[in-house]
Amino acid sequence: MEQLLGNNLSFAGTDARSRTPDIPFIPNRQLFVLTCVDPRVDPSDILGLTLGDAIVARNVGGRANRAFLDDLAWITHLHRTLTPDADWFEVVVIHHTDCGSGLMADDRLRGAFVEQGYDDATLRATAVTEPEQTVRADVATILSSTALRSPSLASGYTYDVATGLLTQAVAPRAADGYRVPGSVEALN
Ligand SMILES: [Zn+2]
């Protein structure tokens, strides 16, 4: 951290903070990104986001687990209660190739961890071995959850750590029961 604290001093001397949103749950790009903790998939770099552009949630695999849904529900609640007329955000789920969470599918590795008191089924369900499949499943989970009863959208992408490219796996869709104004198809 010693060197990075120097970076922080430099940062504090810039005007980056003047471009951050007045309301923290309405980021500049109206994005809520969910992705993996893997340092190779930092959304600031792969999406070119800067300070204040997006809400970012990261966990192992970038999974729409209970903890993520609870956070999303809280932010949705704030938005609905305090700023109901503001534009709504799009939740973007990104799963990636060569994800370390895939090792949770390895019986021996997982077994030794389960012996330490962790839940076998939860670990198995967290593994991302086919990012396109899991990203589709997680976008579906988000869309059907109570966390997103609003005009918010959700979409899904896979990220290839070898090429640096994102590929859309799920086009933006509205939460269940909500129709995007002007859209021709009834989504979901
Ligand atoms: Zn990962």
Side-chain angles (χ1 to χ4, degrees):
M1 271 302 286
E2 211 171 313
Q3 190 182 358
L4 299 185
L5 288 174
N7 293 348
N8 174 251
L9 270 183
S10 304
F11 164 78
T14 70
D15 65 351
R17 295 183 314 287
S18 68
R19 297 190 295 274
T20 55
D22 294 334
I23 301 170
F25 53 86
I26 304 184
N28 293 336
R29 300 271 187 174
Q30 276 299 62
L31 283 182
F32 193 133
V33 180
L34 169 63
T35 191
C36 184
V37 292
D38 191 315
R40 298 171 296 174
V41 300
D42 192 321
S44 296
D45 292 293
I46 67 174
L47 293 173
L49 297 171
T50 58
L51 191 70
D53 276 354
I55 298 169
V56 175
R58 301 182 72 173
N59 60 36
V60 172
R63 302 310 308 266
N65 57 23
R66 187 72 255 162
F68 168 77
L69 292 173
D70 287 350
D71 287 348
L72 176 62
W74 172 243
I75 290 167
T76 298
H77 174 68
L78 288 179
H79 197 136
R80 188 178 355 208
T81 307
L82 301 176
T83 56
D85 298 326
D87 285 345
W88 282 83
F89 48 78
E90 177 174 340
V91 179
V92 179
V93 184
I94 302 172
H95 289 179
H96 69 97
T97 59
D98 192 37
C99 186
S101 70
L103 295 172
M104 289 177 175
D106 182 302
D107 291 340
R108 276 185 61 190
L109 273 174
R110 191 182 67 254
F113 195 58
V114 167
E115 283 172 16
Q116 297 173 43
Y118 295 91
D119 183 60
D120 188 56
T122 302
L123 292 166
R124 253 185 294 127
T126 299
V128 172
T129 53
E130 300 286 345
E132 193 177 330
Q133 285 176 24
T134 48
V135 88
R136 284 174 185 278
D138 281 6
V139 170
T141 297
I142 290 166
L143 287 171
S144 62
S145 78
T146 53
L148 208 69
R149 295 275 183 240
S150 69
S152 293
L153 302 174
S155 59
Y157 292 80
T158 58
Y159 175 74
D160 187 322
V161 296
T163 65
L165 290 172
L166 284 163
T167 302
Q168 190 180 67
V170 186
R173 290 181 173 214
D176 285 358
Y178 184 81
R179 198 181 163 119
V180 181
S183 71
V184 280
E185 60 172 333
L187 296 160
N188 289 299

mmCIF file of all heavy atoms in Angstrom, residues 132-179:
data_model
loop_
_atom_site.group_PDB
_atom_site.id
_atom_site.type_symbol
_atom_site.label_atom_id
_atom_site.label_comp_id
_atom_site.label_asym_id
_atom_site.label_seq_id
_atom_site.Cartn_x
_atom_site.Cartn_y
_atom_site.Cartn_z
ATOM 1 N N GLU A 132 -21.619 -18.489 -20.208
ATOM 2 C CA GLU A 132 -22.841 -18.076 -20.909
ATOM 3 C C GLU A 132 -24.081 -18.634 -20.215
ATOM 4 O O GLU A 132 -25.107 -17.951 -20.094
ATOM 5 C CB GLU A 132 -22.800 -18.519 -22.373
ATOM 6 C CG GLU A 132 -23.888 -17.846 -23.191
ATOM 7 C CD GLU A 132 -23.844 -18.205 -24.662
ATOM 8 O OE1 GLU A 132 -22.735 -18.467 -25.166
ATOM 9 O OE2 GLU A 132 -24.914 -18.233 -25.282
ATOM 10 N N GLN A 133 -23.975 -19.877 -19.728
ATOM 11 C CA GLN A 133 -25.123 -20.485 -19.036
ATOM 12 C C GLN A 133 -25.394 -19.827 -17.693
ATOM 13 O O GLN A 133 -26.528 -19.501 -17.348
ATOM 14 C CB GLN A 133 -24.874 -21.977 -18.810
ATOM 15 C CG GLN A 133 -25.028 -22.816 -20.067
ATOM 16 C CD GLN A 133 -24.680 -24.281 -19.804
ATOM 17 O OE1 GLN A 133 -24.750 -24.749 -18.672
ATOM 18 N NE2 GLN A 133 -24.313 -24.986 -20.859
ATOM 19 N N THR A 134 -24.330 -19.603 -16.923
ATOM 20 C CA THR A 134 -24.536 -19.044 -15.582
ATOM 21 C C THR A 134 -24.971 -17.588 -15.657
ATOM 22 O O THR A 134 -25.767 -17.133 -14.837
ATOM 23 C CB THR A 134 -23.274 -19.183 -14.709
ATOM 24 O OG1 THR A 134 -22.134 -18.737 -15.445
ATOM 25 C CG2 THR A 134 -23.078 -20.618 -14.267
ATOM 26 N N VAL A 135 -24.476 -16.860 -16.653
ATOM 27 C CA VAL A 135 -24.887 -15.453 -16.746
ATOM 28 C C VAL A 135 -26.370 -15.369 -17.118
ATOM 29 O O VAL A 135 -27.098 -14.510 -16.610
ATOM 30 C CB VAL A 135 -23.960 -14.658 -17.709
ATOM 31 C CG1 VAL A 135 -24.432 -14.708 -19.143
ATOM 32 C CG2 VAL A 135 -23.870 -13.204 -17.261
ATOM 33 N N ARG A 136 -26.810 -16.262 -17.976
ATOM 34 C CA ARG A 136 -28.243 -16.292 -18.318
ATOM 35 C C ARG A 136 -29.077 -16.615 -17.083
ATOM 36 O O ARG A 136 -30.115 -16.008 -16.834
ATOM 37 C CB ARG A 136 -28.520 -17.360 -19.393
ATOM 38 C CG ARG A 136 -28.095 -16.948 -20.778
ATOM 39 C CD ARG A 136 -28.274 -18.108 -21.753
ATOM 40 N NE ARG A 136 -27.766 -17.791 -23.069
ATOM 41 C CZ ARG A 136 -28.437 -17.103 -23.980
ATOM 42 N NH1 ARG A 136 -29.660 -16.687 -23.717
ATOM 43 N NH2 ARG A 136 -27.894 -16.828 -25.144
ATOM 44 N N ALA A 137 -28.609 -17.593 -16.322
ATOM 45 C CA ALA A 137 -29.350 -17.997 -15.117
ATOM 46 C C ALA A 137 -29.425 -16.849 -14.124
ATOM 47 O O ALA A 137 -30.468 -16.603 -13.505
ATOM 48 C CB ALA A 137 -28.672 -19.211 -14.477
ATOM 49 N N ASP A 138 -28.311 -16.110 -13.962
ATOM 50 C CA ASP A 138 -28.298 -15.043 -12.966
ATOM 51 C C ASP A 138 -29.130 -13.839 -13.398
ATOM 52 O O ASP A 138 -29.784 -13.203 -12.564
ATOM 53 C CB ASP A 138 -26.859 -14.628 -12.652
ATOM 54 C CG ASP A 138 -26.190 -15.610 -11.702
ATOM 55 O OD1 ASP A 138 -26.810 -16.648 -11.389
ATOM 56 O OD2 ASP A 138 -25.062 -15.348 -11.268
ATOM 57 N N VAL A 139 -29.140 -13.529 -14.686
ATOM 58 C CA VAL A 139 -30.010 -12.440 -15.155
ATOM 59 C C VAL A 139 -31.467 -12.834 -14.923
ATOM 60 O O VAL A 139 -32.277 -12.020 -14.458
ATOM 61 C CB VAL A 139 -29.751 -12.110 -16.643
ATOM 62 C CG1 VAL A 139 -30.820 -11.150 -17.175
ATOM 63 C CG2 VAL A 139 -28.371 -11.489 -16.814
ATOM 64 N N ALA A 140 -31.803 -14.094 -15.176
ATOM 65 C CA ALA A 140 -33.172 -14.573 -14.926
ATOM 66 C C ALA A 140 -33.518 -14.469 -13.443
ATOM 67 O O ALA A 140 -34.628 -14.061 -13.078
ATOM 68 C CB ALA A 140 -33.318 -16.012 -15.421
ATOM 69 N N THR A 141 -32.565 -14.823 -12.599
ATOM 70 C CA THR A 141 -32.781 -14.723 -11.149
ATOM 71 C C THR A 141 -33.066 -13.279 -10.744
ATOM 72 O O THR A 141 -33.990 -12.995 -9.971
ATOM 73 C CB THR A 141 -31.530 -15.220 -10.387
ATOM 74 O OG1 THR A 141 -31.345 -16.604 -10.685
ATOM 75 C CG2 THR A 141 -31.675 -15.043 -8.889
ATOM 76 N N ILE A 142 -32.278 -12.359 -11.274
ATOM 77 C CA ILE A 142 -32.441 -10.939 -10.929
ATOM 78 C C ILE A 142 -33.794 -10.431 -11.422
ATOM 79 O O ILE A 142 -34.524 -9.747 -10.698
ATOM 80 C CB ILE A 142 -31.289 -10.108 -11.533
ATOM 81 C CG1 ILE A 142 -29.988 -10.443 -10.809
ATOM 82 C CG2 ILE A 142 -31.590 -8.616 -11.475
ATOM 83 C CD1 ILE A 142 -28.738 -9.964 -11.521
ATOM 84 N N LEU A 143 -34.142 -10.778 -12.668
ATOM 85 C CA LEU A 143 -35.388 -10.281 -13.252
ATOM 86 C C LEU A 143 -36.616 -10.796 -12.506
ATOM 87 O O LEU A 143 -37.629 -10.106 -12.421
ATOM 88 C CB LEU A 143 -35.471 -10.675 -14.731
ATOM 89 C CG LEU A 143 -34.537 -9.909 -15.662
ATOM 90 C CD1 LEU A 143 -34.554 -10.543 -17.042
ATOM 91 C CD2 LEU A 143 -34.932 -8.440 -15.751
ATOM 92 N N SER A 144 -36.522 -11.997 -11.974
ATOM 93 C CA SER A 144 -37.696 -12.569 -11.309
ATOM 94 C C SER A 144 -37.686 -12.306 -9.804
ATOM 95 O O SER A 144 -38.631 -12.673 -9.104
ATOM 96 C CB SER A 144 -37.759 -14.075 -11.566
ATOM 97 O OG SER A 144 -36.620 -14.702 -11.029
ATOM 98 N N SER A 145 -36.635 -11.669 -9.313
ATOM 99 C CA SER A 145 -36.568 -11.429 -7.869
ATOM 100 C C SER A 145 -37.339 -10.171 -7.499
ATOM 101 O O SER A 145 -37.587 -9.314 -8.337
ATOM 102 C CB SER A 145 -35.108 -11.269 -7.433
ATOM 103 O OG SER A 145 -34.650 -9.980 -7.775
ATOM 104 N N THR A 146 -37.678 -10.045 -6.229
ATOM 105 C CA THR A 146 -38.356 -8.842 -5.771
ATOM 106 C C THR A 146 -37.388 -7.663 -5.714
ATOM 107 O O THR A 146 -37.806 -6.531 -5.511
ATOM 108 C CB THR A 146 -38.953 -9.065 -4.369
ATOM 109 O OG1 THR A 146 -37.918 -9.552 -3.515
ATOM 110 C CG2 THR A 146 -40.092 -10.062 -4.420
ATOM 111 N N ALA A 147 -36.099 -7.940 -5.901
ATOM 112 C CA ALA A 147 -35.100 -6.869 -5.846
ATOM 113 C C ALA A 147 -35.251 -5.897 -7.003
ATOM 114 O O ALA A 147 -34.742 -4.797 -6.966
ATOM 115 C CB ALA A 147 -33.698 -7.459 -5.840
ATOM 116 N N LEU A 148 -35.948 -6.288 -8.047
ATOM 117 C CA LEU A 148 -35.977 -5.462 -9.256
ATOM 118 C C LEU A 148 -37.397 -5.183 -9.740
ATOM 119 O O LEU A 148 -37.650 -5.162 -10.929
ATOM 120 C CB LEU A 148 -35.151 -6.119 -10.363
ATOM 121 C CG LEU A 148 -34.527 -5.180 -11.396
ATOM 122 C CD1 LEU A 148 -33.436 -4.342 -10.783
ATOM 123 C CD2 LEU A 148 -33.996 -5.958 -12.576
ATOM 124 N N ARG A 149 -38.334 -4.957 -8.826
ATOM 125 C CA ARG A 149 -39.699 -4.588 -9.228
ATOM 126 C C ARG A 149 -39.729 -3.109 -9.589
ATOM 127 O O ARG A 149 -40.110 -2.271 -8.814
ATOM 128 C CB ARG A 149 -40.659 -4.851 -8.070
ATOM 129 C CG ARG A 149 -40.771 -6.320 -7.721
ATOM 130 C CD ARG A 149 -41.787 -7.014 -8.606
ATOM 131 N NE ARG A 149 -41.924 -8.400 -8.215
ATOM 132 C CZ ARG A 149 -41.674 -9.428 -9.027
ATOM 133 N NH1 ARG A 149 -41.277 -9.234 -10.260
ATOM 134 N NH2 ARG A 149 -41.836 -10.656 -8.602
ATOM 135 N N SER A 150 -39.257 -2.793 -10.745
ATOM 136 C CA SER A 150 -39.147 -1.383 -11.125
ATOM 137 C C SER A 150 -38.881 -1.317 -12.614
ATOM 138 O O SER A 150 -38.734 -2.347 -13.263
ATOM 139 C CB SER A 150 -37.990 -0.765 -10.364
ATOM 140 O OG SER A 150 -36.793 -1.302 -10.850
ATOM 141 N N PRO A 151 -38.765 -0.117 -13.151
ATOM 142 C CA PRO A 151 -38.400 -0.039 -14.576
ATOM 143 C C PRO A 151 -36.942 -0.384 -14.854
ATOM 144 O O PRO A 151 -36.473 -0.187 -15.967
ATOM 145 C CB PRO A 151 -38.676 1.432 -14.919
ATOM 146 C CG PRO A 151 -39.505 1.960 -13.811
ATOM 147 C CD PRO A 151 -39.117 1.186 -12.597
ATOM 148 N N SER A 152 -36.206 -0.874 -13.882
ATOM 149 C CA SER A 152 -34.808 -1.234 -14.127
ATOM 150 C C SER A 152 -34.706 -2.339 -15.171
ATOM 151 O O SER A 152 -35.612 -3.156 -15.316
ATOM 152 C CB SER A 152 -34.152 -1.727 -12.840
ATOM 153 O OG SER A 152 -34.039 -0.674 -11.919
ATOM 154 N N LEU A 153 -33.571 -2.361 -15.849
ATOM 155 C CA LEU A 153 -33.293 -3.407 -16.825
ATOM 156 C C LEU A 153 -32.174 -4.284 -16.291
ATOM 157 O O LEU A 153 -31.403 -3.870 -15.430
ATOM 158 C CB LEU A 153 -32.843 -2.787 -18.149
ATOM 159 C CG LEU A 153 -33.803 -1.801 -18.818
ATOM 160 C CD1 LEU A 153 -33.138 -1.178 -20.038
ATOM 161 C CD2 LEU A 153 -35.092 -2.501 -19.210
ATOM 162 N N ALA A 154 -32.091 -5.497 -16.836
ATOM 163 C CA ALA A 154 -30.945 -6.354 -16.532
ATOM 164 C C ALA A 154 -30.455 -6.970 -17.841
ATOM 165 O O ALA A 154 -31.249 -7.294 -18.729
ATOM 166 C CB ALA A 154 -31.319 -7.445 -15.532
ATOM 167 N N SER A 155 -29.144 -7.103 -17.958
ATOM 168 C CA SER A 155 -28.558 -7.719 -19.141
ATOM 169 C C SER A 155 -27.366 -8.573 -18.719
ATOM 170 O O SER A 155 -26.910 -8.478 -17.579
ATOM 171 C CB SER A 155 -28.112 -6.641 -20.148
ATOM 172 O OG SER A 155 -27.158 -5.789 -19.547
ATOM 173 N N GLY A 156 -26.891 -9.416 -19.625
ATOM 174 C CA GLY A 156 -25.794 -10.316 -19.280
ATOM 175 C C GLY A 156 -24.751 -10.396 -20.372
ATOM 176 O O GLY A 156 -25.071 -10.367 -21.566
ATOM 177 N N TYR A 157 -23.500 -10.500 -19.949
ATOM 178 C CA TYR A 157 -22.380 -10.575 -20.883
ATOM 179 C C TYR A 157 -21.382 -11.613 -20.406
ATOM 180 O O TYR A 157 -21.252 -11.859 -19.205
ATOM 181 C CB TYR A 157 -21.656 -9.224 -20.984
ATOM 182 C CG TYR A 157 -22.493 -8.151 -21.633
ATOM 183 C CD1 TYR A 157 -23.464 -7.483 -20.894
ATOM 184 C CD2 TYR A 157 -22.346 -7.826 -22.975
ATOM 185 C CE1 TYR A 157 -24.265 -6.516 -21.477
ATOM 186 C CE2 TYR A 157 -23.134 -6.858 -23.574
ATOM 187 C CZ TYR A 157 -24.088 -6.207 -22.817
ATOM 188 O OH TYR A 157 -24.883 -5.267 -23.399
ATOM 189 N N THR A 158 -20.674 -12.177 -21.363
ATOM 190 C CA THR A 158 -19.522 -12.995 -21.002
ATOM 191 C C THR A 158 -18.270 -12.229 -21.410
ATOM 192 O O THR A 158 -18.272 -11.471 -22.388
ATOM 193 C CB THR A 158 -19.535 -14.360 -21.708
ATOM 194 O OG1 THR A 158 -19.571 -14.153 -23.135
ATOM 195 C CG2 THR A 158 -20.740 -15.177 -21.287
ATOM 196 N N TYR A 159 -17.219 -12.418 -20.632
ATOM 197 C CA TYR A 159 -15.956 -11.738 -20.902
ATOM 198 C C TYR A 159 -14.878 -12.796 -21.106
ATOM 199 O O TYR A 159 -14.730 -13.700 -20.281
ATOM 200 C CB TYR A 159 -15.587 -10.824 -19.724
ATOM 201 C CG TYR A 159 -14.232 -10.183 -19.867
ATOM 202 C CD1 TYR A 159 -14.034 -9.134 -20.759
ATOM 203 C CD2 TYR A 159 -13.143 -10.648 -19.132
ATOM 204 C CE1 TYR A 159 -12.784 -8.550 -20.911
ATOM 205 C CE2 TYR A 159 -11.892 -10.061 -19.274
ATOM 206 C CZ TYR A 159 -11.719 -9.011 -20.163
ATOM 207 O OH TYR A 159 -10.487 -8.448 -20.307
ATOM 208 N N ASP A 160 -14.167 -12.666 -22.204
ATOM 209 C CA ASP A 160 -13.099 -13.608 -22.530
ATOM 210 C C ASP A 160 -11.763 -13.020 -22.053
ATOM 211 O O ASP A 160 -11.319 -11.998 -22.588
ATOM 212 C CB ASP A 160 -13.085 -13.843 -24.050
ATOM 213 C CG ASP A 160 -12.124 -14.947 -24.453
ATOM 214 O OD1 ASP A 160 -11.031 -15.042 -23.838
ATOM 215 O OD2 ASP A 160 -12.447 -15.717 -25.382
ATOM 216 N N VAL A 161 -11.162 -13.658 -21.049
ATOM 217 C CA VAL A 161 -9.925 -13.097 -20.490
ATOM 218 C C VAL A 161 -8.764 -13.165 -21.482
ATOM 219 O O VAL A 161 -7.776 -12.443 -21.332
ATOM 220 C CB VAL A 161 -9.518 -13.792 -19.159
ATOM 221 C CG1 VAL A 161 -10.548 -13.556 -18.077
ATOM 222 C CG2 VAL A 161 -9.253 -15.274 -19.365
ATOM 223 N N ALA A 162 -8.891 -14.011 -22.520
ATOM 224 C CA ALA A 162 -7.813 -14.121 -23.505
ATOM 225 C C ALA A 162 -7.884 -12.997 -24.538
ATOM 226 O O ALA A 162 -6.875 -12.425 -24.929
ATOM 227 C CB ALA A 162 -7.865 -15.484 -24.193
ATOM 228 N N THR A 163 -9.103 -12.661 -24.986
ATOM 229 C CA THR A 163 -9.240 -11.640 -26.037
ATOM 230 C C THR A 163 -9.571 -10.259 -25.489
ATOM 231 O O THR A 163 -9.410 -9.254 -26.182
ATOM 232 C CB THR A 163 -10.362 -12.026 -27.020
ATOM 233 O OG1 THR A 163 -11.624 -12.011 -26.307
ATOM 234 C CG2 THR A 163 -10.133 -13.403 -27.618
ATOM 235 N N GLY A 164 -10.085 -10.203 -24.254
ATOM 236 C CA GLY A 164 -10.509 -8.920 -23.690
ATOM 237 C C GLY A 164 -11.871 -8.482 -24.168
ATOM 238 O O GLY A 164 -12.299 -7.355 -23.889
ATOM 239 N N LEU A 165 -12.569 -9.369 -24.883
ATOM 240 C CA LEU A 165 -13.854 -8.975 -25.479
ATOM 241 C C LEU A 165 -15.051 -9.437 -24.658
ATOM 242 O O LEU A 165 -15.078 -10.550 -24.121
ATOM 243 C CB LEU A 165 -13.967 -9.550 -26.893
ATOM 244 C CG LEU A 165 -13.039 -8.926 -27.935
ATOM 245 C CD1 LEU A 165 -13.110 -9.714 -29.243
ATOM 246 C CD2 LEU A 165 -13.420 -7.459 -28.175
ATOM 247 N N LEU A 166 -16.048 -8.557 -24.621
ATOM 248 C CA LEU A 166 -17.341 -8.891 -24.025
ATOM 249 C C LEU A 166 -18.289 -9.346 -25.120
ATOM 250 O O LEU A 166 -18.283 -8.799 -26.224
ATOM 251 C CB LEU A 166 -17.951 -7.652 -23.359
ATOM 252 C CG LEU A 166 -17.359 -7.222 -22.024
ATOM 253 C CD1 LEU A 166 -17.770 -5.790 -21.727
ATOM 254 C CD2 LEU A 166 -17.821 -8.146 -20.900
ATOM 255 N N THR A 167 -19.122 -10.342 -24.806
ATOM 256 C CA THR A 167 -20.136 -10.800 -25.738
ATOM 257 C C THR A 167 -21.477 -10.780 -25.020
ATOM 258 O O THR A 167 -21.583 -11.296 -23.889
ATOM 259 C CB THR A 167 -19.842 -12.240 -26.216
ATOM 260 O OG1 THR A 167 -18.546 -12.260 -26.818
ATOM 261 C CG2 THR A 167 -20.883 -12.719 -27.219
ATOM 262 N N GLN A 168 -22.476 -10.201 -25.652
ATOM 263 C CA GLN A 168 -23.786 -10.147 -25.003
ATOM 264 C C GLN A 168 -24.421 -11.530 -24.968
ATOM 265 O O GLN A 168 -24.500 -12.210 -25.988
ATOM 266 C CB GLN A 168 -24.707 -9.183 -25.754
ATOM 267 C CG GLN A 168 -25.999 -8.902 -24.994
ATOM 268 C CD GLN A 168 -26.901 -7.949 -25.755
ATOM 269 O OE1 GLN A 168 -27.418 -8.286 -26.811
ATOM 270 N NE2 GLN A 168 -27.069 -6.762 -25.216
ATOM 271 N N ALA A 169 -24.854 -11.944 -23.782
ATOM 272 C CA ALA A 169 -25.538 -13.234 -23.637
ATOM 273 C C ALA A 169 -27.031 -13.028 -23.419
ATOM 274 O O ALA A 169 -27.838 -13.882 -23.805
ATOM 275 C CB ALA A 169 -24.954 -14.019 -22.463
ATOM 276 N N VAL A 170 -27.393 -11.928 -22.795
ATOM 277 C CA VAL A 170 -28.805 -11.594 -22.583
ATOM 278 C C VAL A 170 -28.982 -10.107 -22.887
ATOM 279 O O VAL A 170 -28.339 -9.267 -22.255
ATOM 280 C CB VAL A 170 -29.252 -11.848 -21.121
ATOM 281 C CG1 VAL A 170 -30.757 -11.630 -20.989
ATOM 282 C CG2 VAL A 170 -28.851 -13.227 -20.640
ATOM 283 N N ALA A 171 -29.839 -9.787 -23.859
ATOM 284 C CA ALA A 171 -30.121 -8.389 -24.177
ATOM 285 C C ALA A 171 -30.869 -7.749 -23.009
ATOM 286 O O ALA A 171 -31.518 -8.458 -22.234
ATOM 287 C CB ALA A 171 -30.960 -8.312 -25.457
ATOM 288 N N PRO A 172 -30.791 -6.424 -22.858
ATOM 289 C CA PRO A 172 -31.468 -5.766 -21.734
ATOM 290 C C PRO A 172 -32.951 -6.110 -21.678
ATOM 291 O O PRO A 172 -33.653 -6.025 -22.683
ATOM 292 C CB PRO A 172 -31.266 -4.276 -22.035
ATOM 293 C CG PRO A 172 -30.066 -4.218 -22.904
ATOM 294 C CD PRO A 172 -30.075 -5.484 -23.711
ATOM 295 N N ARG A 173 -33.386 -6.528 -20.503
ATOM 296 C CA ARG A 173 -34.782 -6.884 -20.285
ATOM 297 C C ARG A 173 -35.277 -6.185 -19.041
ATOM 298 O O ARG A 173 -34.520 -5.947 -18.112
ATOM 299 C CB ARG A 173 -34.932 -8.380 -20.048
ATOM 300 C CG ARG A 173 -34.677 -9.196 -21.271
ATOM 301 C CD ARG A 173 -34.869 -10.657 -20.955
ATOM 302 N NE ARG A 173 -34.786 -11.449 -22.162
ATOM 303 C CZ ARG A 173 -35.492 -12.551 -22.371
ATOM 304 N NH1 ARG A 173 -36.320 -12.992 -21.455
ATOM 305 N NH2 ARG A 173 -35.360 -13.210 -23.496
ATOM 306 N N ALA A 174 -36.572 -5.908 -19.030
ATOM 307 C CA ALA A 174 -37.156 -5.268 -17.856
ATOM 308 C C ALA A 174 -37.501 -6.315 -16.808
ATOM 309 O O ALA A 174 -37.673 -7.497 -17.115
ATOM 310 C CB ALA A 174 -38.403 -4.510 -18.259
ATOM 311 N N ALA A 175 -37.594 -5.823 -15.573
ATOM 312 C CA ALA A 175 -38.031 -6.704 -14.493
ATOM 313 C C ALA A 175 -39.409 -7.267 -14.829
ATOM 314 O O ALA A 175 -40.177 -6.656 -15.569
ATOM 315 C CB ALA A 175 -38.077 -5.928 -13.188
ATOM 316 N N ASP A 176 -39.703 -8.423 -14.271
ATOM 317 C CA ASP A 176 -40.981 -9.083 -14.545
ATOM 318 C C ASP A 176 -42.150 -8.129 -14.328
ATOM 319 O O ASP A 176 -42.196 -7.403 -13.350
ATOM 320 C CB ASP A 176 -41.158 -10.282 -13.607
ATOM 321 C CG ASP A 176 -40.282 -11.441 -14.056
ATOM 322 O OD1 ASP A 176 -39.603 -11.304 -15.086
ATOM 323 O OD2 ASP A 176 -40.287 -12.465 -13.368
ATOM 324 N N GLY A 177 -43.063 -8.168 -15.271
ATOM 325 C CA GLY A 177 -44.276 -7.382 -15.096
ATOM 326 C C GLY A 177 -44.138 -5.935 -15.512
ATOM 327 O O GLY A 177 -45.097 -5.184 -15.472
ATOM 328 N N TYR A 178 -42.956 -5.533 -15.950
ATOM 329 C CA TYR A 178 -42.797 -4.151 -16.393
ATOM 330 C C TYR A 178 -42.478 -4.119 -17.871
ATOM 331 O O TYR A 178 -41.658 -4.896 -18.362
ATOM 332 C CB TYR A 178 -41.682 -3.442 -15.633
ATOM 333 C CG TYR A 178 -41.588 -1.991 -16.021
ATOM 334 C CD1 TYR A 178 -42.438 -1.050 -15.464
ATOM 335 C CD2 TYR A 178 -40.691 -1.571 -16.993
ATOM 336 C CE1 TYR A 178 -42.395 0.263 -15.848
ATOM 337 C CE2 TYR A 178 -40.640 -0.242 -17.382
ATOM 338 C CZ TYR A 178 -41.480 0.662 -16.812
ATOM 339 O OH TYR A 178 -41.438 1.968 -17.190
ATOM 340 N N ARG A 179 -43.134 -3.225 -18.572
ATOM 341 C CA ARG A 179 -42.918 -3.118 -19.998
ATOM 342 C C ARG A 179 -42.109 -1.850 -20.287
ATOM 343 O O ARG A 179 -42.459 -0.771 -19.827
ATOM 344 C CB ARG A 179 -44.277 -3.034 -20.685
ATOM 345 C CG ARG A 179 -44.239 -3.346 -22.156
ATOM 346 C CD ARG A 179 -45.655 -3.203 -22.711
ATOM 347 N NE ARG A 179 -45.570 -3.089 -24.157
ATOM 348 C CZ ARG A 179 -46.130 -3.942 -24.982
ATOM 349 N NH1 ARG A 179 -46.847 -4.933 -24.507
ATOM 350 N NH2 ARG A 179 -45.999 -3.776 -26.273
#
